[in-house]
Each structure stands twice: as C-alpha cells, then as structure tokens.
Amino acid sequence: MKKLIALLLAFVMMLSMVACNQTQPNQTTGSTEPNNPSKDTTPATTEKKDPVTLTLYPLNANVTSGKVEGWLGDFLLENYNVILDIWAYSDEKANAIIAGGDLPDIMYFNTQTDFKVMADSGLLLDMDAYLDKMPHLSENATIKPALEYVRQYVTDGSLCFLPLVVGTTANGADVGRQAVKLNWNIYEKIGAPEIKDLDQLVDVLKKMKEAQPTAPDGSPMYAMHLFNNFDSTYFYAMYSWLCINGSYHGEMDKFLIPDCEKGVWNYMLDDNSLYYQGLKFFNTLYREGLLDPDSITTDRTAQHKKIEAGGALAGWAAVPGWEANGYYAVSIKDVKTADANVNAYGNGNYIGVSAKTEHLDEVLSIIDMLADPEALTTFMNGPQGELWDIDADGNAYMTDKGTTLWVNGQTVALASGETYSSVNIPAILAPAEESAYNNAVALSASKKCVELQSQTEASAVWRETNKASNYMEVLVRNDGLLDPFYLNTDMFAANPTDEQSLIIGEAKNIIVQASWKMVYAASDAEFDQIWDKAVKDCEELGIKAIADWRRDELVNAKKLIESME
C-alpha cells in the first residue's frame, strides 16, 4: 500500500487543506445538523427516514463483499437506519482508491499505510471535532490512551484514524492461536504420544494421517493448509511458525523477527534464521504429504472451511483450529510462545472516515457503535435471545444455542432460519473487554465459554492426557511462556521513508515468491538454491541496511516505552 500512497505526496501539494479535513461541528457537512446551542431542541414529530447506504472498505479479504443482509443487516437497519455496502478487497484496489481520492464512507487501513501522508492528504475527516457525537468512543477509559497515541505518534495532532481492537483480546486461560492444535480425536486414536520437539511432531502427524487418511468430505487429509491471498506485506504462512517459536510476525515486512528468549530482533535473511527454519518445516510437511499441495491456488476462506469441518489434522495460527471444532493444543516441550493478550494502543490497524461523506451522522453512529459495549454485544454475538440473553441480574450469558456453537462447534440456525455466521469487521473495542452486561463483549472470548469448553468429553480427555486444566499451565510447566518484549514497539518506531518503502516492496515480492517455491522444493539442494538467490537479490536492493535501521528504531522505542511505565 505504501508504494502508491507515496504518489499522494504530489496530490497533497495541490491541496489547500492542512492536515485532516477540519470541518467544524457547526458547519453543515453531509447530514449533520449545525451544533448551535441556541437552536430550539424541542423534539418534532419524527418521520421514518429512508435508510442510508454507507460504503465500507474492509481490512482484508476475510469478509464477504456486497450489501450486508441477514441478522446483521437487520441490526444495522433497525438501530442505525443504515444499509452497509462492503467493497471487495484487494491490495490493488486499496491503492487505486487512495490514489484516486474517492474513498468509501468508512475505510479500514492496515499497517502498511503511510499514515502521516494519508492524514495530510485531506481525504480523511478529523474526528476530534466530532467526539461529542461519539460518547462511547470518547469517554471509554480503555480507549482514551489509544486516541492520544494516534494524535501524538500517528498523525501529528489530528484524529484522522481510530485504533482497532483496543484492550483485552482473550482471557488469561487461553493462548488463542499461539499453539499447535491437533484434531484431538485422531490424535487420541493413535494413543496421544508424547511430543518432545517439532521434528517429532512431523512423525506424529504422519501417524495421524495413516489413521485418518481422508476428511469427512472424502478429500485427502492434510496437517497444514496454506493460502494465497494474504501475502500483501509478507509471506503470511510464516505467522503459524513464529507463533510456536517464541516470536511474532509483525516486523516481517521490515525483514526482522523478534527473539523473545533473548529479547532481540534478528535479521530475517541470516543463515539458518527462524524464517529459513520455518520454510524448511513447511517443505518437510510438503514432501511428507502433510501440506495441502493446492495451497498456492486456494484462498483462506476455503482453507478455513476445511478445518472448521474437521477436515484437517491440525490447525495453526494463520488458519486456526478451535476447541469448539475438536482441535486442542498439544504439549510440545520445545514449543515457546510469547503471550500478549492486551492491545493498549490497538493492534496497529486503523479505521477512517472519508472527508467527503454525505452521511456524516450515520457514519459517526456506526463508528461509535464499534466502541459501544452494549451494541457490540449484539454485533459480536448475534441477536439477543438467540445465542445469548440477559438474566434477571442484568448479566449476559450464553444460551443453549450459543453453547452449541461456541463450545461444541456445531452450526446453529437462528429463529429466522438463517445459519448464524460471525462478523469479520474489526471493532474499536477488543472482544474480551467487559460489556455492558458484566461479561466479555464477545461471549466466545469469555471465561465461562473457555470453562465450558474444558468440560466437554474431548476436554476431559485432554486434561487427563496433559495433567493440566488448560494449555497455559502446560506452557508454564514446560518453561514455554515468554515475555513479549516487542509489545507496542512498532507503534513508537519511525516508519520507513518513501525510498525505503519502495525497496521494502521490491524485496517483499522477491522473498514471497521465493518462499512459495521453497515450500514446494523437491530437494534440499533446490531449496537452498532458491534461498541463496533470494537473499542475494534482496540484499542487492539494500534491504539489510533498512532492517538494521529499523532495529535501531525498535530498540529506541523500547526504551521510550520503559521510560513511560
């Protein structure tokens, strides 16, 4: 995204605006009424207004494009008089939208955005001027520090961007994606053998495939399913490897990988780097018949459906297998993970509003909804009375139908006959933050849900096998829980210059293409030949100097964070 955003610089020079569009609340923009204290506020007879269609550009391809229908469409229409039209995502389209200046009403921005250039373009609304119209956003104590962070470190004073997934993302007993999760019934079928390291894991996966060679739909069973549509900033499959090796994927676009055991950032293209080892692991799975050979031509949605239906031997961070679908974390003594379940300043992605929106009131109401714990309880869990309800004491709880979905992993139908599906539109507030009903905003992230998952028959077997009540206990026992020393450092480090971004983009294309070739390499010699050429080509561009610069920035950011604590 940064490559074409850099083209905005010329466009910015022609703009008369400085920073974000500074339309004030007392000006008539879109459908917002003047903020005039002397105006008669006596309620008039209200007439049903025609619904307003708002356009939204999503964060990634993991959301269905088109007008939102079903229960979520009804919720937005009944409560906000809005029809939400989601544009189809692609990297090329995102660049074209920004370069052309014709933004949707609401747009999500990933970490590759040049936020300061975008803020200075005048294409986005400065929402500081409208905080009084978004009380859930402006008054939430958890969100306030993240808003101030945006002003100070993202946009040089304005609030053109709002942070996403602020606060607690999971409860303390769950490590989410930070584990290898095996299809437990098949693992038990082969006797649940002890696994000491990742080499031995491969042997176990081979035995599992021998015991269960085909999926429920009759297709071949595989242990790992990669996909081809998330590689816009780095080889996304590596996320799965880093999560179980005490690391994190967030700096791969700068060709760095954090080592949480030593507290340092390592150059990604070093000899025998963790990145190289990850590719070797994927290649081993491929050559052993354990990696889906169609991965390079398959998108994430299709792979996720296979895993969700029990058609995989294992789930990994990039395409997880959840307990509700029969996948449980396996104890591997050499596995390390850095547990980070709190985003104090958000997750590095943002949401913005077009300065040209013609429906400002409705847009602001949707933005505020994404920070409203009460509204989010429906947004994240479906209609009240279906998967969840409120007891006599005002507490939210899972209904039997909710338990069927979130605990037992079975598909459920709403009263309307619609099959329930969750929302893949990130909110401003994180899912495990407390709702207005004394529970997690997303009940699937609640302690009660995890507790009930641990009471299933498969969970009872898991506890007996692992002699632990949850996977966090296993990690502690194996000395596998590491400190995420890198946390928030990327948010306080300087972004690459336009020139550096161009080099990063070219190097990214080289290493992503090489990574796919290495996954499918037929021999060790071919594997290393591809690697050596990719490293040479990237370093001729100057990528190592950029990685060294970025490491210095992260080290300084770490010192700054420590001084603030």
Side-chain angles (χ1 to χ4, degrees), residues 436-456:
Y437 307 111
N438 305 313
N439 210 325
V441 170
L443 290 172
S444 59
S446 67
K447 292 181 179 179
K448 182 64 176 178
C449 186
V450 174
E451 177 186 330
L452 289 175
Q453 287 173 348
S454 70
Q455 294 173 5
T456 63

Side-chain angles (χ1 to χ4, degrees), residues 110-394:
N110 66 27
T111 56
Q112 295 305 294
T113 306
D114 193 326
F115 294 108
K116 289 185 179 178
V117 169
M118 194 69 204
D120 290 342
S121 70
L123 295 174
L124 294 173
L125 195 72
D126 183 355
M127 286 175 276
D128 251 332
Y130 300 93
L131 288 179
D132 62 325
K133 296 179 178 295
M134 297 180 287
H136 298 99
L137 173 73
S138 60
E139 297 172 12
N140 187 295
T142 298
I143 297 174
K144 279 184 178 180
L147 299 182
E148 189 56 33
Y149 165 81
V150 172
R151 297 184 186 100
Q152 290 192 34
Y153 296 97
V154 179
T155 64
D156 289 334
S158 64
L159 202 57
C160 293
F161 299 100
L162 296 175
L164 297 174
V165 198
V166 180
T168 306
T169 60
N171 73 77
D174 183 25
V175 292
R177 300 167 188 253
Q178 312 289 318
V180 179
K181 296 188 176 181
L182 297 183
N183 191 321
W184 203 257
N185 286 337
I186 305 174
Y187 181 55
E188 281 292 322
K189 187 186 294 186
I190 66 167
E194 182 182 17
I195 305 174
K196 295 180 179 179
D197 55 36
L198 292 168
D199 288 336
Q200 196 171 22
L201 171 64
V202 175
D203 295 332
V204 168
L205 291 170
K206 289 167 63 177
K207 292 177 181 177
M208 289 175 66
K209 183 168 184 176
E210 290 171 2
Q212 184 73 47
T214 57
D217 64 359
S219 63
M221 199 74 137
Y222 295 108
M224 180 168 277
H225 297 75
L226 310 186
F227 46 92
N228 64 3
N229 61 329
F230 271 48
D231 291 342
S232 57
T233 54
Y234 45 74
F235 183 54
Y236 194 82
M238 194 58 63
Y239 175 26
S240 296
W241 174 254
L242 298 183
C243 279
I244 58 173
N245 281 277
S247 191
Y248 175 67
H249 63 290
E251 290 296 324
M252 273 200 293
D253 59 324
K254 317 298 191 310
F255 284 70
L256 292 175
I257 293 178
D259 181 337
C260 291
E261 282 195 276
K262 298 179 179 178
V264 297
W265 286 270
N266 293 322
Y267 178 46
M268 194 172 85
L269 302 184
D270 273 338
D271 292 341
N272 200 38
S273 68
L274 193 57
Y275 190 92
Y276 175 92
Q277 294 173 35
L279 290 174
K280 180 66 76 172
F281 181 74
F282 297 154
N283 180 247
T284 298
L285 292 179
Y286 169 69
R287 286 157 68 178
E288 293 287 355
L290 295 169
L291 186 144
D292 181 1
D294 295 327
S295 291
I296 197 168
T297 58
T298 310
D299 64 23
R300 186 183 184 279
T301 299
Q303 300 291 45
H304 178 67
K305 287 180 179 178
K306 293 179 189 176
I307 295 174
E308 193 173 42
L313 301 174
W316 310 77
V319 194
W322 300 114
E323 287 80 357
N325 301 119
Y327 299 87
Y328 287 83
V330 64
S331 173
I332 305 174
K333 290 187 176 179
D334 284 357
V335 160
K336 310 287 184 184
T337 188
D339 182 41
N341 285 338
V342 178
N343 295 330
Y345 306 105
N347 66 358
N349 300 311
Y350 294 90
I351 190 171
V353 171
S354 170
K356 298 178 182 178
T357 182
E358 297 179 355
H359 307 291
L360 186 55
D361 274 341
E362 290 80 7
V363 167
L364 295 178
S365 70
I366 294 298
I367 295 295
D368 194 51
M369 180 269 290
L370 295 174
D372 178 358
E374 181 175 359
L376 285 177
T377 303
T378 297
F379 186 74
M380 292 187 178
N381 304 292
Q384 182 183 350
E386 293 275 4
L387 281 72
W388 69 282
D389 215 329
I390 303 170
D391 64 22
D393 296 322

